[in-house]
Amino acid sequence: MTVVTRFAPSPTGYLHIGGARTALFNWLYARHMGGKFLLRIEDTDRARSTQDAVDKIFAGLEWLGLDWDEDPVHQFARAERHAEVARQLLAEGKAYYCYATQEELDEMRAAQRAAGQTVRYDGRWRDRDPSEAPEGVPPVIRLKMPQDGETRIDDQVQGDVTVSNGQLDDMVLLRGDGTPTYMLSVVVDDHDMGITHVIRGDDHLTNSFRQVQLYKAMGWEPPVFAHIPLIHGQDGAKLSKRHGALGVETYRDMGILPEAMRNYLLRLGWGHGDDEIIPTDQAIDWFDIVDVGRSPSRMDMDKLFNLNGHYLREADDERLVTLVADVIVDKHGLTVDQHGSELLFQAMKDLKPRAKSLVDMADGAVFLVRPRPLPIDAKAEKILANGGRDLLADLLPAMDGLEWTAAALEQWARDTADARELKLGKVAQPIRAALSGSTVSPPIFEVMEILGRDESLARIRDAVENTQSNQE
RNA sequence: GACCCCUUCGUCUAGUGGUUAGGACACCACUCUUUCACAGUGGAGACACGGGUUCGAGUCCCGUAGGGGUCGCCA
């Protein structure tokens, strides 16, 4: 049997982190099993569904690198098929019309609550003759749930979970306006799409019991269920769009690499011994849904960034140049021309170990492509003011004739420091301040080589001459 | 409230009856060092609690506590 999984988001907003992980697990399982991963847009809530959200979800999945098979199914387009199933059940006596009004149901629930009873539809129209139907109330169609026995789910993650059928109320299949409810739509679509494994958030676990009864009523084989634990926020509560869950594009904008995101999400609820760095191809090889844990986990940004730093160091230099240039343009408002890209490329090996995100990397690299004269930050200015400027002025004439390689420049700096009985840092820091405008940068002699003789000397001259440099 | 689920360092996890309870992030110290990082070494840090079962329990059973989820003509 070929495994078919699906990711079924409702397009009422961006693709948030929990949805992204659900998608990842479905994708990984399908790829691991050599099956298919399908997409279904659950847009039956016409009021809240938007095309913009659909686009964002697609974009989010694409960014994450989760490719789906076949064209996405739009649930609303299948409404007639769903209604047909409801009518069939009605004809077979497995479902019935319910004429209870909204107000009536509200009262019923309020009364149940007040009496300390379980709140659920009481089946008031279950055995009532439709001839008693009130005028002008468009009826809903409800499924006749079994009232005895129990419903059992052998969940791949949660294990055997059983609920007594008395807990299940007769759920609405078709609304008064003839449109299908979510409960009906998911079951019909999962069946029609040939979904073999439903992997979704734990918050759907209790829905599954009722869905199983719908499968049974239709004489269909239920899929295998796997309810994965939710991701919680720092406060331990369910992460949702209105509760701290950020869209995946936000992580992208924070400078996270998609491969880092995948690795991080994978480790939330799933592990493989002591392995932490798990590239995607390895994940496909190792991942199995039965190995997913049952307890919820919390988002840990520090770990995400740590992982991101790792993938950043491994990433291809040219790819990084493009990504970092984009951030420099967007965040720092500068342009990065051919020469600028060249500088970034050469500096990449020094930039990599210093960044945990593309944003960090851009911050650390921007001085390379800034036009002169550079802004000098307060700490750097202090170094220049406290003797650094004088030293540079003193050294400048000799520097012109040096061999301009990192190694030669470093040797020269060491000799110079020795000759003056200074520590190397005393020579290096003023140069760093002049070249980068900061006290923090990649190894400064590397920077000198990358920037080149002319630019380097010009920046040092700027620093020497501008006693009141443009401080930030 | 009812039903369902969960509970190992602060966080993510390994662990499936006998371990000095392992790893990772974060934290602290040290090493490296021209700054900052990276890297390396070391350190502190956990089986929620109470009963069983067993020669022996983080591992099995039952309670308790805490947390979460669901109870819509939303999905």
PDB file of all heavy atoms in Angstrom, chain B residues 18-29:
ATOM      1  P     G B  18      17.456  -2.262  33.101  1.00  0.00           P
ATOM      2  OP1   G B  18      16.898  -0.916  33.034  1.00  0.00           O
ATOM      3  OP2   G B  18      18.676  -2.596  32.335  1.00  0.00           O
ATOM      4  O5'   G B  18      17.777  -2.567  34.623  1.00  0.00           O
ATOM      5  C5'   G B  18      17.682  -1.524  35.624  1.00  0.00           C
ATOM      6  C4'   G B  18      18.920  -1.511  36.505  1.00  0.00           C
ATOM      7  O4'   G B  18      18.980  -2.720  37.272  1.00  0.00           O
ATOM      8  C3'   G B  18      20.219  -1.418  35.683  1.00  0.00           C
ATOM      9  O3'   G B  18      20.970  -0.248  36.004  1.00  0.00           O
ATOM     10  C2'   G B  18      20.871  -2.831  35.807  1.00  0.00           C
ATOM     11  O2'   G B  18      22.232  -2.745  36.118  1.00  0.00           O
ATOM     12  C1'   G B  18      20.092  -3.513  36.918  1.00  0.00           C
ATOM     13  N9    G B  18      19.582  -4.859  36.584  1.00  0.00           N
ATOM     14  C8    G B  18      19.489  -5.488  35.378  1.00  0.00           C
ATOM     15  N7    G B  18      18.940  -6.674  35.459  1.00  0.00           N
ATOM     16  C5    G B  18      18.662  -6.835  36.815  1.00  0.00           C
ATOM     17  C6    G B  18      18.064  -7.902  37.518  1.00  0.00           C
ATOM     18  O6    G B  18      17.619  -8.951  37.077  1.00  0.00           O
ATOM     19  N1    G B  18      17.978  -7.642  38.892  1.00  0.00           N
ATOM     20  C2    G B  18      18.416  -6.506  39.472  1.00  0.00           C
ATOM     21  N2    G B  18      18.262  -6.449  40.795  1.00  0.00           N
ATOM     22  N3    G B  18      18.978  -5.503  38.831  1.00  0.00           N
ATOM     23  C4    G B  18      19.068  -5.723  37.510  1.00  0.00           C
ATOM     24  P     U B  19      21.828   0.092  37.351  1.00  0.00           P
ATOM     25  OP1   U B  19      22.190  -1.145  38.056  1.00  0.00           O
ATOM     26  OP2   U B  19      21.102   1.141  38.096  1.00  0.00           O
ATOM     27  O5'   U B  19      23.122   0.733  36.731  1.00  0.00           O
ATOM     28  C5'   U B  19      23.696   0.158  35.534  1.00  0.00           C
ATOM     29  C4'   U B  19      24.186   1.322  34.686  1.00  0.00           C
ATOM     30  O4'   U B  19      23.084   1.890  33.954  1.00  0.00           O
ATOM     31  C3'   U B  19      24.728   2.492  35.499  1.00  0.00           C
ATOM     32  O3'   U B  19      26.104   2.276  35.746  1.00  0.00           O
ATOM     33  C2'   U B  19      24.530   3.683  34.561  1.00  0.00           C
ATOM     34  O2'   U B  19      25.646   3.838  33.725  1.00  0.00           O
ATOM     35  C1'   U B  19      23.327   3.257  33.721  1.00  0.00           C
ATOM     36  N1    U B  19      22.106   4.022  34.016  1.00  0.00           N
ATOM     37  C2    U B  19      21.482   4.665  32.965  1.00  0.00           C
ATOM     38  O2    U B  19      21.900   4.601  31.835  1.00  0.00           O
ATOM     39  N3    U B  19      20.337   5.378  33.295  1.00  0.00           N
ATOM     40  C4    U B  19      19.783   5.508  34.541  1.00  0.00           C
ATOM     41  O4    U B  19      18.768   6.168  34.665  1.00  0.00           O
ATOM     42  C5    U B  19      20.502   4.829  35.585  1.00  0.00           C
ATOM     43  C6    U B  19      21.619   4.135  35.303  1.00  0.00           C
ATOM     44  P     U B  20      26.600   2.329  37.306  1.00  0.00           P
ATOM     45  OP1   U B  20      27.997   1.910  37.358  1.00  0.00           O
ATOM     46  OP2   U B  20      25.582   1.614  38.139  1.00  0.00           O
ATOM     47  O5'   U B  20      26.526   3.884  37.621  1.00  0.00           O
ATOM     48  C5'   U B  20      26.466   4.331  38.975  1.00  0.00           C
ATOM     49  C4'   U B  20      26.762   5.805  39.030  1.00  0.00           C
ATOM     50  O4'   U B  20      28.162   5.997  38.688  1.00  0.00           O
ATOM     51  C3'   U B  20      25.996   6.638  38.004  1.00  0.00           C
ATOM     52  O3'   U B  20      24.792   7.099  38.580  1.00  0.00           O
ATOM     53  C2'   U B  20      26.929   7.809  37.735  1.00  0.00           C
ATOM     54  O2'   U B  20      26.765   8.842  38.695  1.00  0.00           O
ATOM     55  C1'   U B  20      28.312   7.174  37.933  1.00  0.00           C
ATOM     56  N1    U B  20      28.972   6.826  36.649  1.00  0.00           N
ATOM     57  C2    U B  20      29.762   7.786  36.057  1.00  0.00           C
ATOM     58  O2    U B  20      29.917   8.899  36.528  1.00  0.00           O
ATOM     59  N3    U B  20      30.348   7.408  34.884  1.00  0.00           N
ATOM     60  C4    U B  20      30.238   6.178  34.252  1.00  0.00           C
ATOM     61  O4    U B  20      30.833   5.981  33.198  1.00  0.00           O
ATOM     62  C5    U B  20      29.405   5.249  34.937  1.00  0.00           C
ATOM     63  C6    U B  20      28.817   5.591  36.089  1.00  0.00           C
ATOM     64  P     A B  21      23.451   6.987  37.797  1.00  0.00           P
ATOM     65  OP1   A B  21      22.392   7.375  38.732  1.00  0.00           O
ATOM     66  OP2   A B  21      23.436   5.653  37.133  1.00  0.00           O
ATOM     67  O5'   A B  21      23.526   8.143  36.688  1.00  0.00           O
ATOM     68  C5'   A B  21      24.029   7.886  35.397  1.00  0.00           C
ATOM     69  C4'   A B  21      22.956   8.143  34.368  1.00  0.00           C
ATOM     70  O4'   A B  21      21.644   7.934  34.956  1.00  0.00           O
ATOM     71  C3'   A B  21      22.873   9.577  33.859  1.00  0.00           C
ATOM     72  O3'   A B  21      23.867   9.811  32.882  1.00  0.00           O
ATOM     73  C2'   A B  21      21.465   9.574  33.277  1.00  0.00           C
ATOM     74  O2'   A B  21      21.424   8.855  32.056  1.00  0.00           O
ATOM     75  C1'   A B  21      20.706   8.793  34.335  1.00  0.00           C
ATOM     76  N9    A B  21      20.098   9.660  35.339  1.00  0.00           N
ATOM     77  C8    A B  21      20.455   9.818  36.647  1.00  0.00           C
ATOM     78  N7    A B  21      19.713  10.676  37.299  1.00  0.00           N
ATOM     79  C5    A B  21      18.808  11.118  36.348  1.00  0.00           C
ATOM     80  C6    A B  21      17.742  12.034  36.407  1.00  0.00           C
ATOM     81  N6    A B  21      17.408  12.688  37.514  1.00  0.00           N
ATOM     82  N1    A B  21      17.040  12.245  35.283  1.00  0.00           N
ATOM     83  C2    A B  21      17.384  11.586  34.169  1.00  0.00           C
ATOM     84  N3    A B  21      18.361  10.701  33.984  1.00  0.00           N
ATOM     85  C4    A B  21      19.032  10.502  35.129  1.00  0.00           C
ATOM     86  P     G B  22      24.859  11.061  33.040  1.00  0.00           P
ATOM     87  OP1   G B  22      25.984  10.652  33.888  1.00  0.00           O
ATOM     88  OP2   G B  22      24.030  12.214  33.399  1.00  0.00           O
ATOM     89  O5'   G B  22      25.386  11.229  31.559  1.00  0.00           O
ATOM     90  C5'   G B  22      26.111  10.182  30.925  1.00  0.00           C
ATOM     91  C4'   G B  22      25.756  10.140  29.464  1.00  0.00           C
ATOM     92  O4'   G B  22      24.424   9.582  29.304  1.00  0.00           O
ATOM     93  C3'   G B  22      25.645  11.508  28.801  1.00  0.00           C
ATOM     94  O3'   G B  22      26.903  12.049  28.451  1.00  0.00           O
ATOM     95  C2'   G B  22      24.780  11.170  27.589  1.00  0.00           C
ATOM     96  O2'   G B  22      25.516  10.485  26.613  1.00  0.00           O
ATOM     97  C1'   G B  22      23.762  10.234  28.240  1.00  0.00           C
ATOM     98  N9    G B  22      22.648  11.025  28.787  1.00  0.00           N
ATOM     99  C8    G B  22      22.384  11.320  30.096  1.00  0.00           C
ATOM    100  N7    G B  22      21.326  12.081  30.245  1.00  0.00           N
ATOM    101  C5    G B  22      20.870  12.307  28.950  1.00  0.00           C
ATOM    102  C6    G B  22      19.769  13.052  28.473  1.00  0.00           C
ATOM    103  O6    G B  22      18.948  13.694  29.119  1.00  0.00           O
ATOM    104  N1    G B  22      19.694  13.021  27.082  1.00  0.00           N
ATOM    105  C2    G B  22      20.566  12.356  26.268  1.00  0.00           C
ATOM    106  N2    G B  22      20.327  12.448  24.964  1.00  0.00           N
ATOM    107  N3    G B  22      21.596  11.648  26.690  1.00  0.00           N
ATOM    108  C4    G B  22      21.687  11.661  28.036  1.00  0.00           C
ATOM    109  P     G B  23      27.121  13.616  28.494  1.00  0.00           P
ATOM    110  OP1   G B  23      28.571  13.873  28.413  1.00  0.00           O
ATOM    111  OP2   G B  23      26.316  14.179  29.601  1.00  0.00           O
ATOM    112  O5'   G B  23      26.445  14.070  27.130  1.00  0.00           O
ATOM    113  C5'   G B  23      26.906  13.514  25.892  1.00  0.00           C
ATOM    114  C4'   G B  23      25.987  13.930  24.780  1.00  0.00           C
ATOM    115  O4'   G B  23      24.654  13.434  25.040  1.00  0.00           O
ATOM    116  C3'   G B  23      25.784  15.432  24.614  1.00  0.00           C
ATOM    117  O3'   G B  23      26.846  16.029  23.896  1.00  0.00           O
ATOM    118  C2'   G B  23      24.490  15.454  23.807  1.00  0.00           C
ATOM    119  O2'   G B  23      24.720  15.096  22.462  1.00  0.00           O
ATOM    120  C1'   G B  23      23.697  14.340  24.495  1.00  0.00           C
ATOM    121  N9    G B  23      22.844  14.847  25.568  1.00  0.00           N
ATOM    122  C8    G B  23      23.041  14.733  26.924  1.00  0.00           C
ATOM    123  N7    G B  23      22.097  15.307  27.628  1.00  0.00           N
ATOM    124  C5    G B  23      21.226  15.830  26.683  1.00  0.00           C
ATOM    125  C6    G B  23      20.020  16.561  26.842  1.00  0.00           C
ATOM    126  O6    G B  23      19.461  16.898  27.891  1.00  0.00           O
ATOM    127  N1    G B  23      19.456  16.905  25.614  1.00  0.00           N
ATOM    128  C2    G B  23      19.994  16.593  24.386  1.00  0.00           C
ATOM    129  N2    G B  23      19.321  17.017  23.326  1.00  0.00           N
ATOM    130  N3    G B  23      21.117  15.906  24.222  1.00  0.00           N
ATOM    131  C4    G B  23      21.675  15.558  25.401  1.00  0.00           C
ATOM    132  P     A B  24      27.181  17.567  24.144  1.00  0.00           P
ATOM    133  OP1   A B  24      28.392  17.868  23.360  1.00  0.00           O
ATOM    134  OP2   A B  24      27.135  17.859  25.588  1.00  0.00           O
ATOM    135  O5'   A B  24      25.945  18.315  23.473  1.00  0.00           O
ATOM    136  C5'   A B  24      25.754  18.255  22.052  1.00  0.00           C
ATOM    137  C4'   A B  24      24.505  19.016  21.691  1.00  0.00           C
ATOM    138  O4'   A B  24      23.358  18.361  22.277  1.00  0.00           O
ATOM    139  C3'   A B  24      24.438  20.432  22.242  1.00  0.00           C
ATOM    140  O3'   A B  24      25.154  21.346  21.442  1.00  0.00           O
ATOM    141  C2'   A B  24      22.941  20.690  22.207  1.00  0.00           C
ATOM    142  O2'   A B  24      22.501  20.962  20.894  1.00  0.00           O
ATOM    143  C1'   A B  24      22.391  19.338  22.649  1.00  0.00           C
ATOM    144  N9    A B  24      22.200  19.290  24.105  1.00  0.00           N
ATOM    145  C8    A B  24      22.996  18.709  25.059  1.00  0.00           C
ATOM    146  N7    A B  24      22.545  18.857  26.284  1.00  0.00           N
ATOM    147  C5    A B  24      21.374  19.583  26.131  1.00  0.00           C
ATOM    148  C6    A B  24      20.425  20.060  27.050  1.00  0.00           C
ATOM    149  N6    A B  24      20.500  19.873  28.365  1.00  0.00           N
ATOM    150  N1    A B  24      19.369  20.753  26.555  1.00  0.00           N
ATOM    151  C2    A B  24      19.287  20.945  25.227  1.00  0.00           C
ATOM    152  N3    A B  24      20.119  20.540  24.259  1.00  0.00           N
ATOM    153  C4    A B  24      21.151  19.851  24.785  1.00  0.00           C
ATOM    154  P     C B  25      25.763  22.664  22.114  1.00  0.00           P
ATOM    155  OP1   C B  25      26.620  23.305  21.088  1.00  0.00           O
ATOM    156  OP2   C B  25      26.315  22.321  23.453  1.00  0.00           O
ATOM    157  O5'   C B  25      24.474  23.579  22.346  1.00  0.00           O
ATOM    158  C5'   C B  25      23.736  24.071  21.228  1.00  0.00           C
ATOM    159  C4'   C B  25      22.538  24.840  21.724  1.00  0.00           C
ATOM    160  O4'   C B  25      21.662  23.949  22.459  1.00  0.00           O
ATOM    161  C3'   C B  25      22.842  25.951  22.721  1.00  0.00           C
ATOM    162  O3'   C B  25      23.250  27.135  22.062  1.00  0.00           O
ATOM    163  C2'   C B  25      21.492  26.119  23.400  1.00  0.00           C
ATOM    164  O2'   C B  25      20.594  26.848  22.592  1.00  0.00           O
ATOM    165  C1'   C B  25      21.020  24.671  23.499  1.00  0.00           C
ATOM    166  N1    C B  25      21.368  24.054  24.788  1.00  0.00           N
ATOM    167  C2    C B  25      20.585  24.396  25.915  1.00  0.00           C
ATOM    168  O2    C B  25      19.646  25.182  25.769  1.00  0.00           O
ATOM    169  N3    C B  25      20.891  23.848  27.113  1.00  0.00           N
ATOM    170  C4    C B  25      21.920  23.001  27.229  1.00  0.00           C
ATOM    171  N4    C B  25      22.180  22.500  28.435  1.00  0.00           N
ATOM    172  C5    C B  25      22.730  22.652  26.102  1.00  0.00           C
ATOM    173  C6    C B  25      22.419  23.190  24.916  1.00  0.00           C
ATOM    174  P     A B  26      24.328  28.085  22.767  1.00  0.00           P
ATOM    175  OP1   A B  26      24.489  29.252  21.878  1.00  0.00           O
ATOM    176  OP2   A B  26      25.499  27.283  23.163  1.00  0.00           O
ATOM    177  O5'   A B  26      23.569  28.544  24.102  1.00  0.00           O
ATOM    178  C5'   A B  26      22.469  29.450  24.012  1.00  0.00           C
ATOM    179  C4'   A B  26      21.857  29.616  25.378  1.00  0.00           C
ATOM    180  O4'   A B  26      21.294  28.357  25.817  1.00  0.00           O
ATOM    181  C3'   A B  26      22.828  29.990  26.486  1.00  0.00           C
ATOM    182  O3'   A B  26      23.097  31.378  26.496  1.00  0.00           O
ATOM    183  C2'   A B  26      22.037  29.552  27.715  1.00  0.00           C
ATOM    184  O2'   A B  26      21.005  30.470  28.023  1.00  0.00           O
ATOM    185  C1'   A B  26      21.430  28.241  27.231  1.00  0.00           C
ATOM    186  N9    A B  26      22.330  27.127  27.528  1.00  0.00           N
ATOM    187  C8    A B  26      23.215  26.495  26.683  1.00  0.00           C
ATOM    188  N7    A B  26      23.906  25.547  27.274  1.00  0.00           N
ATOM    189  C5    A B  26      23.449  25.566  28.579  1.00  0.00           C
ATOM    190  C6    A B  26      23.786  24.805  29.710  1.00  0.00           C
ATOM    191  N6    A B  26      24.705  23.836  29.701  1.00  0.00           N
ATOM    192  N1    A B  26      23.147  25.084  30.874  1.00  0.00           N
ATOM    193  C2    A B  26      22.232  26.054  30.881  1.00  0.00           C
ATOM    194  N3    A B  26      21.818  26.839  29.886  1.00  0.00           N
ATOM    195  C4    A B  26      22.470  26.532  28.751  1.00  0.00           C
ATOM    196  P     C B  27      24.584  31.848  26.930  1.00  0.00           P
ATOM    197  OP1   C B  27      24.594  33.317  26.812  1.00  0.00           O
ATOM    198  OP2   C B  27      25.559  31.030  26.181  1.00  0.00           O
ATOM    199  O5'   C B  27      24.685  31.431  28.469  1.00  0.00           O
ATOM    200  C5'   C B  27      23.795  31.988  29.434  1.00  0.00           C
ATOM    201  C4'   C B  27      24.095  31.435  30.797  1.00  0.00           C
ATOM    202  O4'   C B  27      23.774  30.011  30.835  1.00  0.00           O
ATOM    203  C3'   C B  27      25.567  31.469  31.191  1.00  0.00           C
ATOM    204  O3'   C B  27      25.947  32.754  31.660  1.00  0.00           O
ATOM    205  C2'   C B  27      25.613  30.411  32.286  1.00  0.00           C
ATOM    206  O2'   C B  27      25.093  30.896  33.502  1.00  0.00           O
ATOM    207  C1'   C B  27      24.669  29.349  31.720  1.00  0.00           C
ATOM    208  N1    C B  27      25.389  28.317  30.964  1.00  0.00           N
ATOM    209  C2    C B  27      26.024  27.293  31.687  1.00  0.00           C
ATOM    210  O2    C B  27      25.946  27.285  32.929  1.00  0.00           O
ATOM    211  N3    C B  27      26.702  26.324  31.026  1.00  0.00           N
ATOM    212  C4    C B  27      26.760  26.368  29.691  1.00  0.00           C
ATOM    213  N4    C B  27      27.444  25.398  29.088  1.00  0.00           N
ATOM    214  C5    C B  27      26.132  27.401  28.936  1.00  0.00           C
ATOM    215  C6    C B  27      25.463  28.344  29.603  1.00  0.00           C
ATOM    216  P     C B  28      27.451  33.260  31.360  1.00  0.00           P
ATOM    217  OP1   C B  28      27.468  34.693  31.704  1.00  0.00           O
ATOM    218  OP2   C B  28      27.858  32.816  30.017  1.00  0.00           O
ATOM    219  O5'   C B  28      28.335  32.457  32.425  1.00  0.00           O
ATOM    220  C5'   C B  28      28.137  32.659  33.823  1.00  0.00           C
ATOM    221  C4'   C B  28      29.034  31.741  34.590  1.00  0.00           C
ATOM    222  O4'   C B  28      28.598  30.361  34.395  1.00  0.00           O
ATOM    223  C3'   C B  28      30.487  31.722  34.127  1.00  0.00           C
ATOM    224  O3'   C B  28      31.232  32.803  34.657  1.00  0.00           O
ATOM    225  C2'   C B  28      30.961  30.372  34.663  1.00  0.00           C
ATOM    226  O2'   C B  28      31.216  30.405  36.048  1.00  0.00           O
ATOM    227  C1'   C B  28      29.730  29.493  34.400  1.00  0.00           C
ATOM    228  N1    C B  28      29.819  28.816  33.097  1.00  0.00           N
ATOM    229  C2    C B  28      30.568  27.631  33.020  1.00  0.00           C
ATOM    230  O2    C B  28      31.115  27.203  34.041  1.00  0.00           O
ATOM    231  N3    C B  28      30.664  26.985  31.836  1.00  0.00           N
ATOM    232  C4    C B  28      30.066  27.481  30.754  1.00  0.00           C
ATOM    233  N4    C B  28      30.199  26.822  29.616  1.00  0.00           N
ATOM    234  C5    C B  28      29.307  28.698  30.811  1.00  0.00           C
ATOM    235  C6    C B  28      29.214  29.320  31.989  1.00  0.00           C
ATOM    236  P     A B  29      32.500  33.335  33.826  1.00  0.00           P
ATOM    237  OP1   A B  29      32.947  34.558  34.529  1.00  0.00           O
ATOM    238  OP2   A B  29      32.147  33.372  32.400  1.00  0.00           O
ATOM    239  O5'   A B  29      33.582  32.184  34.043  1.00  0.00           O
ATOM    240  C5'   A B  29      34.151  31.961  35.328  1.00  0.00           C
ATOM    241  C4'   A B  29      35.090  30.788  35.270  1.00  0.00           C
ATOM    242  O4'   A B  29      34.345  29.601  34.893  1.00  0.00           O
ATOM    243  C3'   A B  29      36.178  30.874  34.204  1.00  0.00           C
ATOM    244  O3'   A B  29      37.272  31.654  34.638  1.00  0.00           O
ATOM    245  C2'   A B  29      36.551  29.410  34.032  1.00  0.00           C
ATOM    246  O2'   A B  29      37.376  28.952  35.094  1.00  0.00           O
ATOM    247  C1'   A B  29      35.186  28.734  34.147  1.00  0.00           C
ATOM    248  N9    A B  29      34.585  28.516  32.822  1.00  0.00           N
ATOM    249  C8    A B  29      33.608  29.238  32.197  1.00  0.00           C
ATOM    250  N7    A B  29      33.291  28.779  31.009  1.00  0.00           N
ATOM    251  C5    A B  29      34.112  27.674  30.837  1.00  0.00           C
ATOM    252  C6    A B  29      34.268  26.748  29.797  1.00  0.00           C
ATOM    253  N6    A B  29      33.566  26.794  28.658  1.00  0.00           N
ATOM    254  N1    A B  29      35.186  25.773  29.953  1.00  0.00           N
ATOM    255  C2    A B  29      35.894  25.727  31.079  1.00  0.00           C
ATOM    256  N3    A B  29      35.837  26.535  32.142  1.00  0.00           N
ATOM    257  C4    A B  29      34.918  27.500  31.956  1.00  0.00           C
TER     258        A B  29
END
